[in-house]
Amino acid sequence: MKLPIQGDGAIRRKSLYGTCSENTYAGVLSFMRRNYSRDLSGVDVAVSGIPLDLATTFRPGARLGPAAVRAASVQMNELLAYPWGFDPFDELAVIDYGDCWLDAHNPMTISHSIVEHARTILASGAKMLTFGGDHYITYPLLKAHAEKYGKPLSLIHFDAHCDTWPDDSPDSLNHGSMFYKAVKDGLIDPATSVQVGIRTWNDDFMGINILDAPWVHAHGPQATLEKILSIVGKRPTYLTFDIDCLDPAFAPGTGTPVAGGLSSAQALAIIRGMGPVNLVGMDVVEVSPPFDQSEITALAAAHIAADLLCVLRNQKLARR
């Protein structure tokens, strides 16, 4: 009798589907133990990391975020996903594509490297779930996604910061101006985009719909979800989750923490309702392990990512 694979499924599993038996404290640390592979044949979702934090405005360390999120995911495929009650990998083909190669000593090449990394994955028909890195990475990712799916896209943006502060330098790696540039470039439609959890001021939010943190606290996750769905409708939508959307009590390990944010429970309740959204791409960014405590920030990020995969699994089955 052939024994099931036990341990190191990330490099030993032959199929894109299924879950292997793993010791949570040992083995190759791909995200949720998915196959490490650059073969995109038959892949529904490619997980990858973009370890960039060269131009953060406060605390650095997000370059270590992708590795931390992978490490925090080890226990999450030990049981069926909660509250879903299934293993998403029975029906959803997910690989860990590894990290985007960046030449940190030649910063002006970085944006192009990210765009090319994304183009390669998207050309296969796979969707992307990307771990940052600082939030700048979303700008080149949006460029590649808009090429693939057509522009403008709708944007669902979870954050403490609106990231629409002006910066017209074409070579800037500013992680506070990505969506200013995305609106200016026509990559996203502000009228059908929404920012959730905001608690910093900007004189010009560029027409993007704002559901700030006090609004979410006052109205609750269900009302927030309903408002998001009414704004983006069925349009191709990119979802980006800056972990500092969460209050520092739930996510201390981030570069620019702001008090008064969402709880993990609030954020997960909203994410789990994303089934009606036409998600074309996703990222989770700004996890900075040097400032984390007991991996709680990385764990929150890993849970958000895992729930997004469960949403995509249900969407795949609904299309059959």
Side-chain angles (χ1 to χ4, degrees):
M1 183 178 71
K2 186 177 180 180
L3 295 175
I5 293 175
Q6 294 177 307
D8 288 332
I11 56 174
R12 298 177 60 208
R13 186 191 298 106
K14 301 301 181 183
S15 171
L16 294 176
Y17 296 95
T19 298
C20 301
S21 177
E22 301 273 359
N23 288 322
T24 55
Y25 50 83
V28 177
L29 293 177
S30 62
F31 182 69
M32 295 186 74
R33 308 291 190 167
R34 302 323 299 158
N35 295 16
Y36 261 127
S37 178
R38 290 285 169 117
D39 183 357
L40 292 160
S41 304
V43 171
D44 294 315
V45 184
V47 174
S48 67
I50 303 181
L52 173 71
D53 66 351
L54 291 182
T56 53
T57 52
F58 188 31
R59 307 189 306 195
R63 67 182 63 187
L64 305 175
V69 176
R70 289 182 174 105
S73 74
V74 293
Q75 197 175 11
M76 295 174 57
N77 62 329
E78 191 174 34
L79 301 171
L80 297 182
Y82 180 87
W84 308 91
F86 55 70
D87 181 347
F89 307 120
D90 285 344
E91 291 89 12
L92 193 70
V94 180
I95 63 167
D96 192 320
Y97 193 78
D99 287 346
C100 174
W101 168 254
L102 304 174
D103 185 351
H105 306 290
N106 194 0
M108 293 305 100
T109 67
I110 285 175
S111 181
H112 180 70
S113 296
I114 297 171
V115 171
E116 287 300 311
H117 170 80
R119 282 173 176 160
T120 298
I121 294 172
L122 295 174
S124 74
K127 291 184 178 180
M128 295 185 71
L129 172 58
T130 309
F131 300 139
D134 72 51
H135 212 159
Y136 172 78
I137 71 166
T138 304
Y139 179 48
L141 288 172
L142 280 171
K143 288 183 178 180
H145 282 78
E147 287 179 4
K148 171 71 174 181
Y149 294 100
K151 63 181 185 179
L153 301 170
S154 292
L155 180 75
I156 299 174
H157 172 205
F158 292 84
D159 207 325
H161 311 86
C162 60
D163 295 332
T164 48
W165 291 287
D167 182 347
D168 292 308
S169 170
D171 297 322
S172 170
L173 301 178
N174 189 337
H175 74 153
S177 64
M178 307 81 60
F179 304 120
Y180 171 85
K181 293 183 176 182
V183 172
K184 291 280 190 178
D185 293 349
L187 301 177
I188 61 172
D189 173 18
T192 61
S193 296
V194 57
Q195 297 180 320
V196 183
I198 303 300
R199 50 196 188 277
T200 47
W201 185 255
N202 191 346
D203 288 331
D204 183 3
F205 289 99
M206 302 192 73
I208 299 175
N209 298 278
I210 305 294
L211 302 178
D212 62 17
W215 195 97
V216 176
H217 294 317
H219 294 84
Q222 185 58 37
T224 303
L225 175 63
E226 291 171 2
K227 190 70 173 175
I228 292 170
L229 298 180
S230 72
I231 291 168
V232 302
K234 297 296 184 180
R235 300 181 77 258
T237 300
Y238 190 95
L239 186 151
T240 179
F241 198 108
D242 186 326
I243 204 65
D244 72 27
C245 179
L246 303 182
D247 188 84
F250 302 93
T254 190
T256 50
V258 182
L262 275 61
S263 70
S264 300
Q266 287 175 312
L268 290 171
I270 298 168
I271 290 292
R272 288 166 180 164
M274 290 289 161
V277 179
N278 181 11
L279 292 170
V280 298
M282 302 146 290
D283 65 53
V284 183
V285 300
E286 295 282 3
V287 172
S288 182
F291 299 96
D292 207 359
Q293 300 292 324
S294 303
E295 298 182 298
I296 61 174
T297 310
L299 186 63
H303 273 278
I304 289 163
D307 274 346
L308 286 169
L309 291 178
C310 288
V311 168
L312 293 183
R313 176 265 190 190
N314 281 352
Q315 290 181 343
K316 179 180 178 180
L317 293 189
R319 291 191 298 269
R320 287 181 177 174

